[in-house]
Amino acid sequence: MLSSAYWYYGLIMISLILVAASLVYKKDWKILLLHLQTSAVIHPFEIVILILLNGYHYFPGILQDARLDNYLGSYISNSLIVPASAVAINAFSLSWNYVISIAAVFTGLDWYFTELGIYQHFWWRSFYTGIGLCILYAISKWIWRGLHDKEPSFVFKFLTIYMIYASIHNLIVFILNEGGRLFRFDVNWFSDPEKGHQIFFFLHLIITSIIITMCIGLRLRFRYRLMGIVVLVALNWFLGQYHIFVPSAENISAVQFILVSMLALPLTILLFKLTKLKYLFP
């Protein structure tokens, strides 16, 4: 019997193949935007279902720490394979017959992974996955059409910038922090400190992403954009000053958290340049 790690490695490989094939077929960098946006749509639901309500648990068997292993499994599922399937559906213009079939395959995999013991349901059910995926694929089709609209609405452009930045910011923190290697957020909202950390990080991500989106997505004078950065630095300083931001490593301060934005921001701008979408104001 294959170890759980091989199943999850297989999902990673399939994800990369689907995205690469879609890029080659469409020759359109908007594929990457769609992937990140689909991931951004899933993220808040995963925070609620996985973290807040304990709907299920992943067992990839890749990392020794069970908590981090669970988060890695979540990331493979909701930031790689599921968005990659949405990308392929839209890149190859698959009909709803195929879309429903793909959702059914994922529903089957959801059930089979629980049978293998590499994924566990608590109150979640496999058919919820199928229903959720059909809704998600419909949203991805709407996003894909919007990305090719010559005159998209302000709301669509603002949401696109927000979702792209938030996905990149979240990825950087996921890689660097490793669930708490550098820092944790300490709030007394739940009996489980891990829930408090994850929920507060999600709120911090929302606030940061909105501020950054306003700075680059609105026609503002330079001093107002600079003010946005100052607000973020002040916010992070406040979190450190009142011991909400708790460093897990030496020489780490809350103010340095702004470096994540300084890395995510140029990557966001680069993606919009590659796609030639004029959503950002110079």
Side-chain angles (χ1 to χ4, degrees):
M1 179 179 175
L2 289 175
S3 72
S4 58
Y6 288 115
W7 287 100
Y8 283 88
Y9 285 141
L11 293 179
I12 294 172
M13 290 302 300
I14 293 171
S15 303
L16 296 175
I17 290 170
L18 288 175
V19 173
S22 299
L23 279 170
V24 170
Y25 178 75
K26 292 297 291 186
K27 297 179 175 60
D28 188 347
W29 288 107
K30 296 185 188 71
I31 288 292
L32 298 182
L33 295 187
L34 178 62
H35 187 103
L36 292 172
Q37 286 178 272
T38 305
S39 176
V41 171
I42 298 172
H43 187 231
F45 293 97
E46 187 72 346
I47 289 291
V48 172
I49 297 169
L50 177 70
I51 304 297
L52 196 58
L53 301 180
N54 298 313
Y56 39 68
H57 194 100
Y58 297 90
F59 299 99
I62 298 173
L63 301 176
Q64 291 184 346
D65 188 320
R67 178 177 57 88
L68 299 183
D69 201 45
N70 179 33
Y71 296 154
L72 179 61
S74 170
Y75 198 87
I76 291 170
S77 174
N78 298 295
S79 294
L80 290 178
I81 186 62
V82 173
S85 66
V87 160
I89 285 169
N90 288 279
F92 293 97
S93 302
L94 299 183
S95 69
W96 268 102
N97 287 335
Y98 286 104
V99 171
I100 293 173
S101 298
I102 291 170
V105 168
F106 274 104
T107 301
L109 282 174
D110 183 287
W111 169 82
Y112 188 57
F113 274 31
T114 62
E115 292 295 304
L116 292 175
I118 60 178
Y119 174 61
Q120 182 181 4
H121 288 164
F122 295 111
W123 57 265
W124 189 258
R125 297 293 180 266
S126 294
F127 75 88
Y128 298 167
T129 297
I131 295 171
L133 284 174
C134 288
I135 296 171
L136 179 69
Y137 292 147
I139 294 172
S140 75
K141 284 177 174 288
W142 173 77
I143 292 173
W144 187 241
R145 289 194 301 270
L147 290 173
H148 291 86
D149 192 340
K150 293 182 179 179
E151 296 184 2
S153 68
F154 168 80
V155 172
F156 182 85
K157 290 192 288 187
F158 194 89
L159 284 175
T160 298
I161 299 169
Y162 169 86
M163 289 191 287
I164 298 304
Y165 174 83
S167 292
I168 295 174
H169 184 112
N170 189 42
L171 173 60
I172 292 172
V173 174
F174 179 81
I175 293 172
L176 295 180
N177 196 38
E178 296 179 6
R181 183 173 68 90
L182 297 180
F183 73 90
R184 295 186 63 80
F185 288 116
D186 184 14
V187 291
N188 297 318
W189 293 352
F190 305 94
S191 57
D192 181 1
E194 181 63 24
K195 282 189 179 183
H197 165 70
Q198 293 293 337
I199 299 301
F200 194 89
F201 169 71
F202 179 59
L203 294 176
H204 185 276
L205 175 65
I206 291 174
I207 293 170
T208 302
S209 300
I210 289 174
I211 292 173
I212 292 294
T213 301
M214 291 174 65
C215 287
I216 63 177
L218 300 179
R219 192 184 299 277
L220 300 174
R221 293 183 178 180
F222 176 75
R223 63 175 177 268
Y224 295 121
R225 299 185 187 195
L226 184 60
M227 189 181 298
I229 303 301
V230 172
V231 169
L232 287 178
V233 172
L235 171 62
N236 292 332
W237 174 85
F238 176 87
L239 297 179
Q241 188 71 13
Y242 288 90
H243 308 293
I244 296 173
F245 180 100
V246 179
S248 305
E250 295 182 2
N251 302 320
I252 296 294
S253 72
V255 172
Q256 291 173 322
F257 200 47
I258 193 66
L259 296 176
V260 176
S261 296
M262 295 300 97
L263 180 57
L265 181 56
L267 291 175
T268 301
I269 294 172
L270 175 62
L271 271 178
F272 278 99
K273 286 187 178 295
L274 284 174
T275 56
K276 299 179 180 179
L277 289 177
K278 297 180 180 180
Y279 289 8
L280 309 181
F281 285 103

